[in-house]
DNA sequence: TCTCAATGTGAGAGGTTTACACATCAACCT
DNA sequence: AGGTTGATGTGTAAACCTCTCACATTGAGA
């Protein structure tokens, strides 16, 4: 590891990396700007040159998470039927959440006012769009947006409850992935059955 | 307001009330034990006679939330069909979440390790039971538990995304309640259509 | 070469959590 | 009555954290 001079050179990115790791270890609540600075080897006030405050640093790591989520959704290959597509998206979402639960929590922590962080809001829209496009392949255009929101809700609920350990204790034997696929397929089948009502 | 002597008399409850109000105002993150103590009129170390630490105080208010949620679910009258039941439960859940979003967040904050707070876990089970019973009215017994978890996930996802403002910005015109009912009914219809697969 | 804008440092103000020794008081036991 | 005691509140203080501000350092461009 190269000795560094007075200036770090890439502090912003180094802080983001340290933050992600710290959040992973100690959780969103346990994380502190000071410790991130310490880990990177700068003074505890240095981070404030790059991030307005603690929340801004967390928001920036949340943004990275949203970008990654968009990528992972984009990589999914299109499937034939709506039920399969719904199950595919749901399980992918679940996988992402389980990869780094603490960061996933940061991404949706209500503490971060998304209206204060325009970029976060934008990225949220792009993910919605991902889902819209995929729904539009199997549904009338007029329905797509609402249905996409429904699917997202289903996936998100599965993810958060599962991460929080609320499902495992009740259904230890069932794989959460199977449950997700089953719920998504049921929802999808129900859509095509009686579009009205 | 009566002058109080050296002892408060009902500090535990007073703290719970103050905590709920503070969490409602400043959010879970903005809440501090000190401020709750100040508000109640005791020294900042007094709360630790009643709660092991900050998290314990939050866990206790979360528990109150879970008890209230169980009550509200218990009050729902049984309906004829599965789709109607699913929609009814989902909208009730949503209503509860919107009543006090910050407390709802505290209830499911991953920061609180439910395995550390046995009572929280227990109450979670009782809510699952509520749903199980209602599902069992319309489905084979063997399915009920899993289906209840699916329904809970759907409702929970709708609630968290809606609270976080992730749905409103995408679908400003659609009432979140309608979206919830629609999703729940679709899911329910899909269940009865082709139980297998 | 000189200057300046960006970036890092150190000190410090003000807030928080929590431990600990001590104060107070209601209730209970003689 | 009078004394003891366990529960509950107080005050102090240590260890932390966020964030501000004046100052130091340095690379890059004029």
């Amino acid at each position: 590891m190269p000795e560094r001079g007075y200036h770090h050179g890439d502090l912003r990115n180094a802080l983001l990396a340290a933050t992600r790791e710290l959040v992973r270890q100690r959780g969103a609540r346990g994380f502190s700007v000071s410790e991130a600075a310490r880990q990177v080897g700068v003074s505890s006030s240095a981070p404030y040159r790059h991030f307005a405050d603690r929340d801004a640093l967390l928001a920036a790591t949340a943004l990275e998470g949203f970008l990654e989520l968009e990528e992972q959704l984009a990589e999914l290959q299109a499937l034939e039927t709506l039920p399969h597509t719904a199950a595919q998206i749901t399980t992918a979402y679940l996988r992402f959440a389980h990869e780094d639960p603490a960061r996933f929590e940061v991404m949706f922590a209500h503490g971060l006012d998304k209206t204060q962080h325009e970029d976060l809001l934008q990225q949220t829209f792009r993910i919605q769009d991902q889902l819209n496009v995929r729904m539009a392949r199997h549904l009338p255009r007029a329905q797509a947006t609402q249905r996409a929101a429904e699917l997202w809700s289903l996936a998100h609920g599965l993810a958060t409850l599962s991460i929080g350990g609320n499902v495992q204790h009740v259904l230890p034997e069932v794989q959460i992935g199977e449950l997700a696929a089953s719920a998504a397929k049921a929802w999808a089948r129900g859509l095509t059955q009686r579009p009205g009502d």
Side-chain angles (χ1 to χ4, degrees), chain A residues 84-99:
Chain A
H84 283 96
T85 303
Q88 174 201 38
I89 290 175
T90 305
T91 52
Y93 195 89
L94 216 58
R95 197 181 321 123
F96 175 82
H98 278 279
E99 265 173 23

Side-chain angles (χ1 to χ4, degrees), chain A residues 67-78 130 134:
Chain A
L67 290 167
E68 216 172 298
L69 176 55
E70 189 200 353
E71 273 178 37
Q72 293 192 14
L73 291 180
E75 281 171 8
L76 299 178
Q77 53 179 317
Q130 279 283 340
R134 283 172 202 276

Side-chain angles (χ1 to χ4, degrees), chain A residues 69 72-73 76 86-101 104 151-164 167-168 174-184:
Chain A
L69 176 55
Q72 293 192 14
L73 291 180
L76 299 178
Q88 174 201 38
I89 290 175
T90 305
T91 52
Y93 195 89
L94 216 58
R95 197 181 321 123
F96 175 82
H98 278 279
E99 265 173 23
D100 193 341
F104 185 80
L151 178 58
W152 189 10
S153 291
L154 178 57
H156 191 73
L158 286 160
T160 52
L161 285 186
S162 150
I163 283 177
V167 186
Q168 283 79 355
V174 175
Q175 297 298 329
I176 178 72
E178 294 172 21
L179 188 144
S182 150

Side-chain angles (χ1 to χ4, degrees), chain A residues 5-65:
Chain A
Y6 190 90
H7 289 105
H8 181 286
D10 194 22
L11 184 51
R12 201 193 133 89
N13 285 328
L15 283 172
L16 283 175
T19 297
R20 180 171 179 186
E21 188 52 29
L22 277 175
V23 165
R24 191 207 302 275
Q25 288 171 15
R26 310 212 197 308
R29 189 184 244 119
F31 160 79
S32 86
V33 179
S34 301
E35 191 165 0
R38 221 174 296 137
Q39 206 146 95
V40 172
V42 296
S43 80
S44 63
S45 50
Y48 294 92
R49 292 290 177 197
H50 300 271
F51 302 95
D53 53 20
R54 194 189 116 112
D55 274 3
L57 178 47
L58 286 174
T61 78
L63 180 59
E64 282 195 327

Side-chain angles (χ1 to χ4, degrees), chain A residues 106-119:
Chain A
V106 169
M107 289 168 60
F108 292 97
H110 308 342
L112 296 186
D113 189 359
K114 283 214 180 58
T115 61
Q116 297 296 83
H117 298 271
E118 186 58 32
D119 44 357

